[in-house]
Amino acid sequence: DAGVIQSPRHEVTEMGQEVTLRCKPISGHDYLFWYRQTMMQGLELLVYFNNKAVMDDSGMPKDRFSAKMPNASFSTLKIQPSEPRDSAVYFCASSLGPSNTEAFFGQGTRLTVV
Amino acid sequence: AQSVTQPDIHITVSEGASLELRCNYSYGATPYLFWYVQSPGQGLQLLLKYFSGDTLVQGIKGFEAEFKRSQSSFNLRKPSVHWSDAAEYFCAVGAQGGSYIPTFGRGTSLIVHP
């Protein structure tokens, strides 16, 4: 398996624009996580899915962020409208679940909002 | 809710010296514990994990960690550091039972001097 695949690797956008980050988890993994990494906050869990259903999105700003998993092999994280404070590296991770299995991370998407 | 503390933001060691990175967790029951490494521009890679049993866990790249319940700690060690070990190291805790939300520490940046 190629591992968790994220696209794009880098994204530069202007404030107010819509941004869509994409993730393909490892085949057969039931859990999918979206994390945001910044210098100030470290790694923050934004949302996670189990079998395509949102289990917890309490870490995600609901007014501008939305996460979807339309099928078992694809997830998106959308930001609309984007703001400079959204600049960060966004990681997608997947795992077999439940708690005693490791999460496999993608290489991340570096988002810069100017 | 569980939490993780990595007291050291930066650690500097000389190549060939021994290493210990500290991790303290807070959780009401026996946790699942992980150490991840992140090289620049990359995602997180699992070094080792503890679920149960032997409290001394061996991982990849010559790393080991010891679970000490009495101290709520899971420190990472390596007897002889190589220059290629320079990276960011993250301790993480997963909860047994209930929903699975892996929680990460803020990370420790390891600098290796030649």
Side-chain angles (χ1 to χ4, degrees), chain A residues 5-77:
Chain A
I5 300 172
Q6 291 185 246
S7 64
R9 288 294 309 278
H10 303 275
E11 177 80 43
V12 180
T13 190
E14 291 186 347
M15 181 173 62
Q17 297 299 305
E18 177 180 293
V19 176
T20 299
L21 310 181
R22 297 173 175 80
C23 175
K24 181 181 188 307
I26 293 173
S27 177
H29 282 192
D30 289 334
Y31 287 76
L32 185 140
F33 308 88
W34 282 101
Y35 285 91
R36 176 171 63 183
Q37 185 179 39
T38 61
M39 290 292 292
M40 294 298 294
Q41 301 296 329
L43 265 171
E44 304 173 274
L45 180 68
L46 296 174
V47 60
Y48 84 98
F49 296 83
N50 178 15
N51 286 322
K52 301 178 292 180
V54 173
M55 300 304 292
D56 190 325
D57 61 359
S58 59
M60 193 170 71
K62 307 284 193 312
D63 56 337
R64 299 182 300 106
F65 284 61
S66 63
K68 294 183 179 179
M69 193 164 185
N71 59 64
S73 59
F74 184 65
S75 176
T76 59
L77 180 67

Side-chain angles (χ1 to χ4, degrees), chain B residues 2-107:
Chain B
Q2 66 267 30
S3 66
V4 177
T5 302
Q6 293 180 247
D8 304 306
I9 298 174
H10 303 282
I11 290 281
T12 301
V13 299
S14 297
E15 190 169 17
S18 64
L19 170 70
E20 182 169 32
L21 302 183
R22 297 185 289 166
C23 172
N24 293 98
Y25 68 90
S26 173
Y27 183 59
T30 301
Y32 296 125
L33 294 161
F34 308 84
W35 274 100
Y36 286 82
V37 61
Q38 183 183 27
S39 298
Q42 301 298 314
L44 279 70
Q45 179 188 18
L46 183 75
L47 283 175
L48 48 77
K49 57 190 176 185
Y50 170 80
F51 296 147
S52 64
D54 193 347
T55 56
L56 185 62
V57 180
Q58 302 297 319
I60 62 171
K61 304 184 181 186
F63 285 92
E64 66 177 26
E66 186 171 12
F67 170 57
K68 293 186 178 180
R69 184 189 303 275
S70 61
Q71 297 176 20
S72 297
S73 70
F74 189 57
N75 294 349
L76 182 71
R77 301 194 293 248
K78 187 170 184 178
S80 178
V81 171
H82 189 263
W83 64 267
S84 60
D85 293 324
E88 191 85 14
Y89 291 81
F90 293 90
C91 182
V93 60
Q96 290 197 23
S99 63
Y100 173 37
I101 303 178
T103 302
F104 286 82
R106 292 297 304 273

